[in-house]
Amino acid sequence: MTDGKAPGVFARGIGADFDKLHPMMQRRFGVSVANGRACVGTGVMHEIRRSPWWARPFLLLGATRNILFPESGSEVPFRIDNDPYIDDFGRETVTFIRTMQVRPGRRRRFDATMIYSERRNCVVDYLGTHQHLPVDLGLSVTEHGGLRLVSGEQRFYEGPIAFRFPLLLSGRAHLTEHYDDERGCYVIDLEVRNRVVGLLFGYRGEFTCEFPDAADMPVSLKPYREELRE
């Protein structure tokens, strides 16, 4: 469902199975520079979960670059911005900017920008405001037309520093999202787990979407810097 135009980041990452997604999932994950559409979702996170207190310093560190955050809660107002654009290296990119009103006067953002990598043959997810942490994503379609995402190898780039991030010291994300026809909304569930300590962070919620013109993307949604290395 790409309107006969060049497929976007997710259509390339999912491949032939993209057409097996629910039509509303195709619309949401079909945003691209070619079709000129973005996706803005608003709703509520019924639950935001995090690891025990001793992992709080790790989550606080991540919050400085909009990668995870230490708060938990229920019925948290939520917004997600998916905007396609061409980055400074000529790559089609889609933002995944999740903003949560975790309490009055306190908003948290969970930022990611995604490209399709020909070399790695998958979608690469750059986490945070500075694209220091690229992560390989495995994407598949569920039995009922939803999307399943599992994160894989993670790398760290900062100036001359470059290394694979040991999964033993990091977390692996498992996400499912589907469209509920009865309620007319998208339903999402994410968990980030470490193989030793278990749950690091997670949320589940629901939202509805609008599909505005991608040309109206605010500059504030783009990362502060872009990383060429994948």
Side-chain angles (χ1 to χ4, degrees), residues 114-191:
M114 303 188 187
I115 66 163
Y116 179 77
S117 170
E118 296 278 3
R119 183 173 65 85
R120 303 191 70 85
N121 193 32
C122 68
V123 172
V124 173
D125 182 4
Y126 289 98
L127 298 178
T129 56
H130 290 66
Q131 294 196 341
H132 289 314
L133 189 63
V135 180
D136 293 346
L137 299 183
L139 304 175
S140 60
V141 179
T142 68
E143 180 181 357
H144 300 293
L147 179 72
R148 179 183 296 109
L149 177 156
V150 179
S151 65
E153 182 182 291
Q154 304 177 15
R155 298 163 295 282
F156 181 86
Y157 299 132
E158 171 61 51
I161 302 172
F163 60 87
R164 292 182 180 178
F165 207 92
L167 286 178
L168 187 65
L169 302 177
S170 182
R172 193 171 193 184
H174 294 261
L175 177 146
T176 58
E177 182 176 321
H178 70 274
Y179 188 78
D180 187 313
D181 284 301
E182 289 189 6
R183 292 185 291 159
C185 66
Y186 297 86
V187 179
I188 190 169
D189 194 327
L190 168 76
E191 281 194 347

Side-chain angles (χ1 to χ4, degrees), residues 190-229:
L190 168 76
E191 281 194 347
V192 181
R193 288 186 169 272
N194 176 272
R195 65 175 62 177
V196 176
V197 303
L199 178 71
L200 293 176
F201 182 81
Y203 54 69
R204 61 177 182 86
E206 60 185 59
F207 56 98
T208 58
C209 289
E210 297 180 350
F211 299 89
D213 190 328
D216 297 332
M217 173 184 176
V219 175
S220 61
L221 297 181
K222 292 185 178 181
Y224 294 159
R225 64 177 287 276
E226 294 175 338
E227 175 60 60
L228 177 61
R229 292 166 291 185

